[in-house]
Amino acid sequence: MTGFNMDSFRLDGKVALVTGAVYGIGFGIAEALAAAGAKIVFNSLTEEAVQQGTLAYQEKGIDAKGYVFDVTDEEAVKIAIQQIKEDVGSVDILVNNAGIIKRTPMTEMTVEDFRQVIDIDLNGPFIMSKAVLPDMVAKGHGKIINICSMMSELGRETVSAYAAAKGGLKMLTKNICAEFGGNNIQCNGIGPGYIATPQTAPLREDGHPFNEFIIGRTPAARWGTVEDLQGSAVFLSSPASDFVNGHILYVDGGILAYIGKQP
Ligand code: NAP
Ligand code: GCO
């Protein structure tokens, strides 16, 4: 018998807020956190999307509570966080998942588009984290997981705004760790490789050269799935990771370890 208790991966009684989790990576992460015992709260931009999410969770046997708000609207976020506190309790686990990408060559990209990507993908996590941190400090514990990207480390043609935002999100992660580690708050990132979701659907269309490029560039030789991210999300949300802080866990089938196929 070892002293290790598998229950350190459990999330029973914890309130987990996953942003933009009606489908895709956010939904998959929420599903895993629910399986580990957490109460799921999610948001989306419209009432219709929240209803769609609620039904999707019900189909999985998950009693999730959805709220309509935009992660870039600080006032709306403050009100929602207060409402969540009254309805289900203060947030123990925040997953900053909501995000967008615009694939446009840099010299053709408008500054408005650039700002919008930075606003949702970087300012959003700042606003969300700022809103939940006071209660986490008061309770003496908290977990924040920022969904980063390969583009937190690498550049690619056409994704200047996204790479700037996700690189910034990596550093916001480290800074939250630096500022709140002493309050027993852990802030880590998950850096997914190329995952099959609606966001990457345009790149996976039949015959699209990018499809072959990604499979060749990934040692696992396939696109990732939402399920590939679930174990990491549970780990980083749970007491099992209480001494892991400011870390970006890349779940990328080996992309960052690989220089590419030799000729
Ligand atoms: P997705 O399928 O496009 O889902 C993104 C979600 O974010 C949608 O539910 C979207 O809602 C929501 N959202 C967008 N703007 C929002 C806002 N201002 N406020 C609230 N919610 C908002 O994307 P995904 O592929 O699951 O990606 C999820 C996260 O992982 C993103 O941060 C993405 O950058 C990151 N990521 C994805 C990959 C990949 O290969 N797929 C890899 C690395 C990182 P609507 O549908 O209403 O717009
Ligand atoms: C792209 C991709 C990426 C992925 C992901 C990689 O156009 O290069 O869509 O941005 O979505 O973030 O980790």
Side-chain angles (χ1 to χ4, degrees):
M1 191 67 184
T2 70
F4 181 69
N5 189 343
M6 280 298 287
D7 285 351
S8 63
F9 286 90
R10 300 260 350 145
L11 305 175
D12 302 289
K14 302 290 186 206
V15 175
L17 166 58
V18 187
T19 63
V22 171
Y23 54 84
I25 289 174
F27 184 84
I29 286 178
E31 186 188 7
L33 303 189
K39 169 82 190 154
I40 302 302
V41 178
F42 69 99
N43 81 307
S44 197
L45 292 167
T46 62
E47 189 58 54
E48 203 184 350
V50 164
Q51 276 173 17
Q52 183 197 330
T54 306
L55 280 176
Y57 284 107
Q58 275 169 6
E59 274 169 28
K60 297 270 184 184
I62 299 167
D63 175 27
K65 200 154 173 44
Y67 294 81
V68 180
F69 65 90
D70 185 326
V71 296
T72 66
D73 181 342
E74 187 169 24
E75 262 323 292
V77 167
K78 271 194 210 157
I79 292 167
I81 295 300
Q82 184 55 35
Q83 192 61 51
I84 291 166
K85 195 171 166 178
E86 286 167 25
D87 294 345
V88 283
S90 68
V91 174
D92 299 293
I93 301 159
L94 167 67
V95 182
N96 283 313
N97 167 78
I100 62 164
I101 188 166
K102 289 187 193 282
R103 299 183 182 96
T104 316
M106 184 164 155
T107 50
E108 291 165 27
M109 187 165 215
T110 63
V111 74
E112 289 76 20
D113 277 358
F114 190 91
R115 284 198 177 113
Q116 190 193 6
V117 174
I118 300 286
D119 207 23
I120 296 173
D121 294 5
L122 179 57
N123 299 344
F126 165 75
I127 290 168
M128 291 300 306
S129 303
K130 186 181 163 195
V132 299
L133 276 163
D135 278 337
M136 289 181 172
V137 169
K139 286 195 291 192
H141 71 83
K143 300 274 186 185
I144 298 178
I145 301 176
N146 291 325
I147 304 303
C148 297
S149 164
M150 292 294 91
M151 272 64 222
S152 298
E153 298 292 337
L154 302 171
R156 185 170 89 67
E157 300 83 349
T158 76
V159 293
S160 56
Y162 187 78
K166 295 294 187 177
L169 187 57
K170 173 181 73 175
M171 289 314 299
L172 179 65
T173 304
K174 291 178 192 240
N175 213 83
I176 293 173
C177 156
E179 229 171 303
F180 295 95
N183 299 97
N184 189 31
I185 292 165
Q186 290 82 45
C187 180
N188 291 289
I190 293 177
Y194 282 81
I195 310 294
T197 68
Q199 193 211 65
T200 52
L203 305 176
R204 287 179 287 109
E205 276 166 16
D206 239 9
H208 196 300
F210 204 88
N211 195 39
E212 223 168 282
F213 164 64
I214 286 305
I215 291 168
R217 186 69 181 72
T218 308
R222 64 170 175 85
W223 284 76
T225 63
V226 163
E227 289 73 25
D228 285 322
L229 303 168
Q230 290 178 321
S232 306
V234 170
F235 170 60
L236 291 177
S237 298
S238 73
S241 63
D242 278 355
F243 205 54
V244 179
N245 210 351
H247 183 75
I248 313 297
L249 177 49
Y250 290 101
V251 183
D252 65 352
I255 293 176
L256 290 179
Y258 187 41
I259 196 169
K261 224 172 197 48
Q262 64 183 35

